[in-house]
Amino acid sequence: MSGEQKLKGKIAVVTGGSRGIGRVICLKLARLGANIFVNDVCDQAIVQGILDEIAGAGGTGSFLPFDVADTEASSKALKSVIKDHGGVHILVNNAGITRDSLLARMKAKDWDLVMSVNLKGAFNCTQAVIMAMIKQRWGRIISIGSVVGSMGNPGQANYAASKAGLEGFTKSVAREVASRGITANVVAPGFIETGMTAELPEKVKDRLLSQIPAGRMGSPEDVAEAVGFLASEEASYITGQVLHVNGGLICD
Ligand code: NDP
């Protein structure tokens, strides 16, 4: 394990950590020295790859399977980490899904599903760890939003609403716990090269690229660097903020 171990002794939970952006966040936090709990809804066999990578980098990682949309399951799993390991210091609410369709055709069940994973999932996980963070007088809650939470996107009324909701949620939590050494922030990626965006038609990708001043899509590493910074001691006075990682797609 090389580099500065700024997060040594910290316990981090990353939801939806088996692939995409979450996977790279797990690796980044592990390289910074944190003990990583990789949450996901998939089988152990799928998560083994990232656990091996964490171990290969000299870090410590374990699989913590549960569905973030399930309040009871989230609470049970996270409370067991707190009981067995003495706390959770860093929570990254990364698990997210899309169920895209134009509003006129959007099914209520797709609205509910996206809200339950993207927004209620963050509520479930944050609520399960907040008392432990308050008691330990230190915590980092980092939720992965999206540029579309700020700018909207046709076909993503459910997804954009869930990501905008995360911002209001985060700002409220930040105000509630700032005096206890806990920060809560959103990292809002633009268009990042992962499985989620791989499915976009080439024409749509070209149109998106033409709107990004940096001239490229982002990488999961671009997002993970922002998360690593917000998790650090150096970011202790930054709370209730939305950090956009989008190559200039929106500047506000
Ligand atoms: P991926 O689809 O690649 O990964 C999402 C992960 O979340 C998967 O491992 C998935 O598991 C897991 N997951 C889904 N539902 C649940 C659940 N109920 N409980 C626990 N885990 C779950 O997405 P990305 O890496 O692209 O996205 C990560 C985050 O970044 C999301 O919040 C997304 O909205 C956000 N984002 C992504 C952008 C992009 O361009 N890619 C842009 C802006 C924001 P499984 O594979 O088993 O389904």
Side-chain angles (χ1 to χ4, degrees):
M1 173 94 43
S2 59
E4 225 180 324
Q5 300 258 288
K6 288 181 175 187
L7 300 179
K8 194 143 191 65
K10 302 284 194 260
I11 292 163
V13 177
V14 180
T15 68
S18 76
R19 62 188 174 100
I21 294 171
R23 182 187 175 106
V24 180
I25 291 172
C26 287
L27 260 181
K28 175 71 194 172
L29 298 182
R31 290 202 171 102
L32 290 171
N35 178 358
I36 310 297
F37 286 84
V38 182
N39 157 261
D40 217 298
V41 279
C42 61
D43 295 335
Q44 167 89 33
I46 293 171
V47 176
Q48 200 52 49
I50 177 65
L51 296 182
D52 291 346
E53 245 182 290
I54 290 172
T60 312
S62 319
F63 184 30
L64 189 68
F66 65 88
D67 177 351
V68 298
D70 182 334
T71 308
E72 221 179 292
S74 306
S75 172
K76 202 170 153 207
L78 290 163
K79 296 241 156 83
S80 77
V81 175
I82 293 164
K83 187 164 163 277
D84 298 344
H85 299 269
V88 167
H89 301 93
I90 301 160
L91 170 68
V92 184
N93 290 312
N94 165 79
I97 59 167
T98 53
R99 289 293 181 277
D100 297 352
S101 90
L102 292 173
L103 179 67
R105 280 190 233 124
M106 187 173 285
K107 296 193 166 57
K109 75 169 173 41
D110 286 339
W111 173 274
D112 289 343
L113 189 60
V114 167
M115 286 295 165
S116 69
V117 175
N118 298 10
L119 186 53
K120 193 174 176 207
F123 161 76
N124 287 337
C125 296
T126 307
Q127 196 186 45
V129 301
I130 201 73
M131 274 317 293
M133 286 185 176
I134 288 172
K135 282 190 195 142
Q136 74 205 7
R137 292 287 193 272
W138 202 95
R140 298 285 185 267
I141 299 155
I142 302 161
S143 298
I144 308 301
S146 170
V147 68
V148 307
S150 297
M151 62 186 250
N153 203 22
Q156 291 198 309
N158 49 1
Y159 181 78
S162 74
K163 296 300 188 179
L166 266 183
E167 296 184 12
F169 170 74
T170 298
K171 289 174 186 179
S172 304
V173 174
R175 287 180 185 273
E176 286 185 20
V177 295
S179 65
R180 313 299 169 101
I182 302 166
T183 68
N185 292 289
V186 169
V187 170
F191 291 94
I192 309 296
E193 284 187 88
T194 67
M196 197 178 258
T197 48
E199 293 158 16
L200 291 172
E202 281 307 311
K203 249 169 75 179
V204 175
K205 273 195 202 164
D206 288 346
R207 184 172 52 77
L208 285 171
L209 268 178
S210 72
Q211 293 165 21
I212 302 172
R216 66 168 177 91
M217 286 179 73
S219 68
E221 286 75 10
D222 290 322
V223 181
E225 286 299 326
V227 172
F229 169 64
L230 287 172
S232 72
E233 199 55 52
E234 287 80 355
S236 64
Y237 201 54
I238 301 173
T239 195
Q241 303 304 308
V242 180
L243 177 52
H244 289 276
V245 180
N246 62 32
L249 178 59
I250 59 163
C251 306
D252 64 3

